[in-house]
Amino acid sequence: MTELNADDARRAIVEHTRRLAESAAAAGPDATVPTTPEWTITDLVGHVGMTQNWVAEIIERRITDPTKLPTQMAVRPDDPRDWPAWLAESAQRVAGACSDDALDAPVFNPATDGRTGTRFWLSSSLNEAVVHGFDAANTAHRPADIDAGVAAALISNHLALLTSPTWELQRAESAHAIRGTGQTLQWLATDTADAWLVEQRPDGATWQPAARKADVTVSGPAGSLLLTLTRRVPLAEAPGITVDGDTGLARHWLDNTAHVSG
C-alpha cells in the first residue's frame, strides 16, 4: 500500500497550494467554482488559507481538548494580488507545524481512528490542498496533475475517514447509507498497484488494503479514482476508469460518501 512519508506530504502541501494560488489568479476572484457551486474563487482561497492557519495553531499549541480549538480565524487579504503570498505563508506554516517532533505528540484527532493528531491533520491538510487545488484548476480550465502516490495516499485517508469511529457523529446519514449485508466494493489503482477493499456490514462499512473478487471493482489511475471518490469528476467521465460488476453499488457508495474536503 502506497504511503507518503512526512517529508513528501509536507512538500506536496506547499506545492499544491502554490498551484492553487496560480489557478485562482487565472480564474479571477468572482469566478464560480463548478465543483463547489456555492463558492467563488474568493471563498475557496479564504477557506484554504484560513483552514491551514487554524490547523497549524492546533498542532503548534498541542491542543488535545476539542473544547479548546481555536475560535479566531486568519483573515484573507482583500486584494487578490496578495493571495499568493498569503497562501504560501499558510501552507508553509501548516507544513512546518507538522514537524517530525510533532508527528507523535498528543494532538486532537477528530476521527479517533488510531492515528496521532498531527498525522491526521497532515493528511487532512494535504487533502485540502490537492482537492481544492483541483477545484481551482478546473475553474480556470487548467490541468490539475496529481502524483499517483499522493492520490493513492489520499484515497486511503478518504476511506479511513468514512469508516472512522466518529463518521456517524459527523455524517449520520452517510454512515447509515453505507451499511449493508456484506456487499463488497474494490477500488483498484492501475498505476500504483494499490487496491482498497470496502465491505458494507450491518454495523458499518470497513476497508482494508486488499485485491480480491468483489461485487464491483472500479479500476483506473489513482488520480482519477481520487477525483471520483471525492465527487469532483463523475464516475462515467473520469479518465481511464472502468467498472466491473454492480455499477449501481458503486454509484450508491459515491452518492452517499461526499466527504467534504473543506
Side-chain angles (χ1 to χ4, degrees):
M1 180 60 61
T2 299
E3 295 183 9
L4 289 183
N5 64 41
D7 280 341
D8 289 340
R10 290 185 285 250
R11 283 192 291 268
I13 289 169
V14 172
E15 173 60 18
H16 281 272
T17 303
R18 183 191 64 78
R19 297 181 197 176
L20 185 157
E22 290 181 349
S23 293
D30 298 326
T32 298
V33 182
T35 42
T36 55
E38 295 182 1
W39 282 1
T40 64
I41 283 291
T42 297
D43 297 321
L44 188 149
V45 167
H47 168 79
V48 171
M50 287 188 287
T51 300
Q52 288 177 339
N53 280 292
W54 183 77
V55 168
E57 184 175 350
I58 292 171
I59 300 168
E60 290 164 354
R61 291 171 51 195
R62 301 292 194 268
I63 294 174
T64 59
D65 184 347
T67 66
K68 297 181 179 180
L69 294 174
T71 55
Q72 297 294 318
M73 303 298 286
V75 178
R76 172 189 48 75
D78 291 331
D79 190 339
R81 291 173 295 184
D82 295 330
W83 292 353
W86 183 65
L87 287 172
E89 291 172 3
S90 66
Q92 290 285 358
R93 183 184 179 190
V94 74
C98 297
S99 65
D100 288 345
D101 289 343
L103 288 177
D104 296 316
V107 174
F108 173 61
N109 172 1
T112 66
D113 58 1
R115 287 180 286 181
T116 64
T118 301
R119 293 183 187 277
F120 166 85
W121 291 116
L122 181 61
S123 293
S124 178
S125 297
L126 178 58
N127 185 75
E128 287 276 305
V130 170
V131 175
H132 285 322
F134 172 83
D135 292 334
N138 183 58
T139 304
H141 306 290
R142 289 161 54 96
D145 295 330
I146 304 173
D147 176 79
V150 168
L154 290 181
I155 291 170
S156 295
N157 177 67
H158 179 77
L159 295 175
L161 288 171
L162 296 174
T163 59
S164 69
T166 58
W167 183 248
E168 185 164 1
L169 296 176
Q170 299 176 48
R171 302 280 197 280
E173 186 175 344
S174 170
H176 294 165
I178 60 177
R179 292 175 178 170
T181 56
Q183 295 89 343
T184 53
L185 306 90
Q186 182 171 229
W187 309 90
L188 181 64
T190 54
D191 50 355
T192 68
D194 288 307
W196 301 263
L197 184 72
V198 173
E199 183 176 358
Q200 296 179 283
R201 300 177 178 177
D203 57 346
T206 65
W207 83 275
Q208 60 179 305
R212 66 182 65 161
K213 181 67 176 177
D215 294 319
V216 61
T217 294
V218 181
S219 305
S224 291
L225 292 177
L226 175 66
L227 294 175
T228 297
L229 282 163
T230 55
R231 286 173 50 174
R232 263 47 193 186
V233 178
L235 181 63
E237 298 176 17
I241 291 290
T242 60
V243 181
D244 180 20
D246 187 349
T247 302
L249 183 61
R251 292 190 184 282
H252 176 82
W253 176 270
L254 295 173
D255 287 345
N256 289 283
T257 53
H259 171 62
V260 180
S261 63

